[in-house]
């Protein structure tokens, strides 16, 4: 890494630490500090409130003359996020000509946080999410809650002691039938066939499926009772 890029990334890290933006955390994860991970929490009083989404940010030696590559690891069901790659549709990230050297990592993360609850519906990359949100905001909210509800509960488990965690896991009621019904409703939306994605190809669903199987193996008796 060149000295200039290193200096800029250290500057961005200091900016994040000094401002302590609510619901935003980011830190380098590679030795050369060119790869970062971040967590964004949805804004208060929005559909995404309390939901934590994880991202990766990959910088190049050209930073900050060129934007980094940003991808969601926790891919949101959102009109402006590619459901296959996890890349957000932000003009200054997609088009280097719209990127400005004055932008920082804070600029990117704050923009993404606002984007969650303020989607641009004119040119969506996830047509199903855009159609459902346009036709019924209440249905869209229900889908978001169902998809990420168990992620929130599992995050809570990680902050408990092992004994308390067992109690909390026993209290989690996961209904696969409800989940399947929700996604079936998505699949029967009016989006064109070529844009439909089978449920098992959806990264968010697969992630939850693996978590459920892990919980089933660990707590077989409690799971069978449910």
């Amino acid at each position: 890494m060149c000295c200039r890029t290193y200096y800029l990334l250290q500057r961005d890290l200091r900016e994040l630490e000094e401002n302590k933006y609510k619901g935003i955390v980011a830190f380098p994860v590679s030795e050369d500090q060119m790869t970062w991970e971040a967590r964004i929490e949805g804004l208060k009083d929005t559909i995404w409130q309390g939901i934590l989404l994880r991202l990766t940010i990959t910088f190049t030696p050209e930073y900050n003359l060129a934007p980094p590559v940003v991808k969601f690891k926790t891919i949101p069901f959102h009109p402006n996020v590619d459901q296959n790659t996890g890349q957000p549709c932000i003009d200054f990230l997609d088009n280097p000509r719209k990127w400005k050297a004055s932008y920082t990592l804070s600029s990117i993360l704050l923009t993404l946080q606002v984007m969650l609850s303020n989607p641009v519906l004119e040119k969506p990359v996830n047509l199903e999410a855009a159609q459902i949100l346009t036709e019924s905001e209440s249905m869209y909210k229900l889908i978001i809650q169902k998809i990420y509800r168990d992620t929130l509960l599992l995050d809570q488990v990680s902050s408990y002691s092992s004994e308390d965690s067992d109690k909390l896991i026993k209290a989690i009621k996961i209904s696969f039938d409800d989940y399947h019904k929700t996604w079936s409703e998505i699949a029967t939306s009016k989006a064109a066939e070529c844009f439909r994605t089978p449920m098992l190809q959806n990264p968010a669903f697969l992630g939850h499926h693996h978590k459920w199987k892990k919980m089933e193996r660990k707590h077989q008796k409690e799971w069978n009772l449910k």
Side-chain angles (χ1 to χ4, degrees):
M1 181 196 334
C2 68
C3 294
R4 177 181 174 278
T5 304
Y6 177 82
Y7 169 78
L8 291 171
L9 292 176
Q10 288 298 306
R11 177 207 62 182
D12 287 0
L13 181 59
R14 285 195 302 271
E15 181 183 7
L16 286 168
E17 292 175 342
E18 291 172 0
N19 287 283
K20 298 180 180 178
Y21 299 110
K22 185 174 179 58
I24 292 178
V25 177
F27 47 87
V29 293
S30 62
E31 290 186 7
D32 62 3
Q33 299 196 33
M34 299 295 276
T35 303
W36 289 48
E37 287 192 3
R39 291 193 299 269
I40 294 178
E41 181 179 352
L43 293 173
K44 186 178 179 181
D45 299 326
T46 71
I47 292 175
W48 297 90
Q49 177 178 344
I51 296 176
L52 283 174
L53 300 174
R54 291 175 169 80
L55 308 93
T56 59
I57 304 102
T58 305
F59 296 91
T60 66
E62 288 73 33
Y63 183 75
N64 64 348
L65 301 177
V69 176
V70 179
K71 292 184 179 181
F72 281 96
K73 294 179 67 177
T74 310
I75 301 179
F77 184 65
H78 190 282
N80 304 131
V81 179
D82 188 301
Q83 60 185 339
N84 297 310
T85 67
Q87 287 189 266
C89 184
I90 301 292
D91 57 357
F92 62 76
L93 293 178
D94 295 335
N95 187 350
R97 289 179 296 180
K98 294 187 177 182
W99 171 264
K100 297 181 181 179
S102 59
Y103 293 156
T104 65
L105 181 55
S106 295
S107 307
I108 296 172
L109 297 177
L110 288 168
T111 299
L112 292 174
Q113 189 180 47
V114 172
M115 178 204 72
L116 288 174
S117 50
N118 293 274
V120 178
L121 299 176
E122 285 74 14
K123 295 182 179 179
V125 291
N126 186 329
L127 298 185
E128 288 184 332
Q131 181 175 3
I132 294 172
L133 179 57
T134 300
E135 294 178 352
S136 174
E137 185 175 348
S138 59
M139 172 58 73
Y140 180 75
K141 181 177 181 179
L142 175 63
I143 292 170
I144 297 303
Q145 290 175 340
K146 279 183 172 289
I147 292 175
Y148 299 103
R149 174 188 57 192
D150 302 317
T151 301
L152 290 172
L153 289 173
L154 290 171
D155 283 341
Q156 293 174 16
V157 169
S158 64
S159 65
Y160 280 58
S161 66
S162 58
E163 181 179 350
D164 289 337
S165 296
D166 290 338
K167 294 178 181 178
L168 186 56
I169 290 174
K170 292 177 183 178
I172 298 175
K173 297 181 179 180
I174 300 173
S175 171
F176 181 85
D177 291 337
D178 288 345
Y179 194 91
H180 184 275
K181 180 177 182 294
T182 300
W183 277 103
S184 297
E185 290 168 351
I186 296 175
T188 55
S189 65
K190 298 179 182 178
E193 288 291 336
C194 61
F195 291 109
R196 292 183 181 176
T197 302
M199 179 172 63
L200 292 179
Q201 292 181 5
N202 183 285
F205 173 82
L206 290 176
H208 288 295
H209 175 71
H210 290 311
K211 289 180 181 178
W212 297 341
K213 296 301 291 183
K214 183 177 180 181
M215 290 169 59
E216 178 183 359
R217 290 193 297 269
K218 187 175 181 181
H219 302 276
Q220 185 69 45
K221 182 178 179 181
E222 293 82 355
W223 186 276
N224 290 337
L225 290 175
K226 289 178 171 46

